[in-house]
Amino acid sequence: AQDRRAMAAAQILINGFHYSAQSVQVLIKGKPYSALNEIAYANKVAVGQMKGAGPSKLGTTEGLNEATGSFTIGKEEWLALIADVTGGDPLVGWSSAHVNIVVAYARRGEAMKKDELIGCRLLTDDTSVGFDSVDPIVVKCELDISALRTNGLFAVSGVSL
């Protein structure tokens, strides 16, 4: 009976509630930032191939992982974030700091899951002002991510933090 329950839990959810933006909470340096319009992140694993005399590969290496990401945030919140990252010191560059970002999410009635973007550097501050728009000024920031843990799991083995 327990195996059937586990199988049912693993099946695709058809007529239920899926993860959505309404359930997401983003923490940067442990502080919530609700003015993020968007956050995106991904792992990309590059593997080496072992080839022999035949037409097929013999195997692959574990691979090297590269994690990247970006987020879009309101201009006021961006200014507050870089002030926090630099400690307000004008001699400290905001792109020199490493910050951790946590993206937490859940379906209704479910315990929170979290993705951890570890050791992120803020690389860009691409500001967008729409002169024919009533939208607020936003900043898109590209991220260099040292490690990405998706709901507790790394993409490759042997990650040391």
Side-chain angles (χ1 to χ4, degrees), residues 29-115:
K29 285 190 67 181
K31 295 181 181 178
Y33 282 86
S34 59
L36 265 73
N37 299 31
E38 170 185 273
I39 187 163
Y41 45 93
N43 281 304
K44 181 179 179 184
V45 179
V47 297
Q49 296 182 0
M50 179 64 182
K51 297 180 181 175
S56 300
K57 65 182 174 188
L58 300 174
T60 63
T61 63
E62 178 75 32
L64 295 174
N65 186 49
E66 180 180 349
T68 59
S70 66
F71 63 83
T72 304
I73 189 169
K75 183 70 170 184
E76 288 103 330
E77 292 77 11
W78 171 254
L79 295 175
L81 173 61
I82 61 174
D84 184 36
V85 166
T86 62
D89 185 344
L91 299 177
V92 175
W94 53 261
S95 70
S96 299
H98 289 79
V99 298
N100 292 333
I101 300 173
V102 175
V103 180
Y105 50 93
R107 287 193 294 248
R108 186 182 304 175
E110 180 181 68
M112 290 295 271
K113 294 179 172 21
K114 65 180 180 178
D115 296 345

Side-chain angles (χ1 to χ4, degrees), residues 8-20 22-24 104-113:
Q11 290 178 349
I12 296 174
L13 184 64
I14 303 227
N15 290 319
F17 294 103
H18 291 266
Y19 300 125
S20 68
Q22 290 74 30
S23 70
V24 171
Y105 50 93
R107 287 193 294 248
R108 186 182 304 175
E110 180 181 68
M112 290 295 271
K113 294 179 172 21

